[in-house]
Amino acid sequence: MFAWLNAEWPWYVAGPLIGLFVPVLLLLGNKVFGISGNLSHICAAITPVRIAHFRYDWRRAGRWNLLFLLGVVLGGALAAGTGGANGVRLSAAAIKTQQSMGIHDFAGLAPKEIFDWKQLKTTRGISLIIVGGFLVGFGTAYAAGCTSGHAISGLANLDPASLVAVLGFFTGGLLASWFLLPIILGGAHGI
Amino acid sequence: MASEKFTSFDGCGADAQSSTATPVAALPAYLALGVAFGYVLTRSEVLSWFRIQEMFRFQSFRMYGIIAAAIATAALSLRALRAFKIRALGGEAINPQRRNFGRGFRYAIGGTLFGLGWALTGACPGPLFALIGNGITVMLAAVVSALAGTWLYGLLSAKLPE
């Protein structure tokens, strides 16, 4: 009966469910759905207040969102504990491309060959985890939003700033996926 | 601490910060919603590095379907909330504001830098945290690095083109 809870959800179920977080948060407390503000809130909370950008009342601005974020970690753990460990069912084309970049283990949500603590000693581990993470943090702070804040909340609000940001997301993503990753991991170039 | 010492937060979701502080009684609801979101991120597989590569290589419709359906659902819901002048539980009018566009540089450059990081890590901020919950604990290192990136932006923000 609960089998659907454990399986991969089809796009037409997953998409609307993600979109519903926008009206639910607005209804609950007039909050705008967006995750990346939390990175600023954590910086404001733990770094000295010399930097003007982080000199705001993070408790007032971000307490609700930091709790939401804590929930996201717990929700991930809950999902991990209820099955779905067989790996994603990629298209044949995607498997071929990723194999050409040296990925052989397709179990789980991310390649274990790269996303492992031991890999932090390797160029590819540092490139994907540390440099990638840094770009996520710098980019979202500069763009004042991420996939949730711009692509979902912003585009739903027909905000021109969010359209520019999302075009940027895909420009950067395409560049990294077609050119940077094949250079870092080896294998098939995009073109 | 005197509140006049603080500037206002201008990041994501900033437009909602002018209103009253979040009631403590409502906080568990945000935690519960976060749990639901972490669950949905996992089951939808949008936090999977494999899926993100598949999307950027145009090798499956799935991610585009999810993103388009999410935006459509959010947009229609927002229209309905405005059309029926529905108020938030606390009684406030619901009317999320658009960003100050300026010259748009911050959205174009910041967005592109974020996109690079999104494809490299295979995760945007929500998924980074959900992956830690899923047991891919090395994403803690990515989170620490993301915090360093946000911190560096804060340090340089006055000097960067808006």
Side-chain angles (χ1 to χ4, degrees), chain A residues 39-91:
Chain A
L39 297 172
S40 286
H41 300 325
I42 295 171
C43 282
I46 65 177
T47 62
V49 290
R50 278 179 295 117
I51 298 174
H53 184 73
F54 298 122
R55 208 180 295 141
Y56 62 90
D57 190 347
W58 62 272
R59 284 186 187 83
R60 182 187 170 96
R63 189 166 53 176
W64 72 272
N65 211 348
L66 288 165
L67 272 167
F68 186 88
L69 189 69
L70 174 64
V72 171
V73 179
L74 298 176
L78 183 67
T82 53
N86 295 325
V88 302
R89 292 186 299 159
L90 287 177
S91 65

Side-chain angles (χ1 to χ4, degrees), chain A residues 110-185:
Chain A
K112 293 185 184 68
E113 295 150 301
I114 300 167
F115 292 92
D116 184 272
W117 288 100
K118 291 191 192 84
Q119 291 293 317
L120 289 179
K121 284 180 284 188
T122 66
T123 308
R124 64 183 197 170
I126 292 168
S127 304
L128 271 59
I129 299 164
I130 303 299
V131 178
F134 187 87
L135 287 167
V136 165
F138 188 90
T140 53
Y142 197 179
C146 60
T147 2
S148 48
H150 275 310
I152 313 286
S153 294
L155 288 187
N157 200 18
L158 307 179
D159 189 336
S162 293
L163 182 61
V164 172
V166 172
L167 289 175
F169 296 172
F170 275 85
T171 305
L174 290 170
L175 278 172
S177 193
W178 289 76
F179 298 105
L180 289 184
L181 279 168
I183 292 169
I184 297 164
L185 299 176

Side-chain angles (χ1 to χ4, degrees), chain B residues 62-112:
Chain B
R62 180 180 170 82
M63 286 289 301
Y64 296 99
I66 290 175
I67 295 170
I71 296 168
T73 304
L76 289 173
S77 309
L78 194 51
R79 281 194 80 139
L81 291 176
R82 283 184 171 135
F84 297 106
K85 297 192 164 52
I86 296 169
R87 288 179 174 269
L89 277 183
E92 297 166 75
I94 293 176
N95 188 24
Q97 301 299 303
R98 294 189 180 146
R99 315 303 185 88
N100 177 13
F101 192 83
R103 284 182 294 169
F105 287 141
R106 72 178 302 175
Y107 306 112
I109 303 169
T112 303

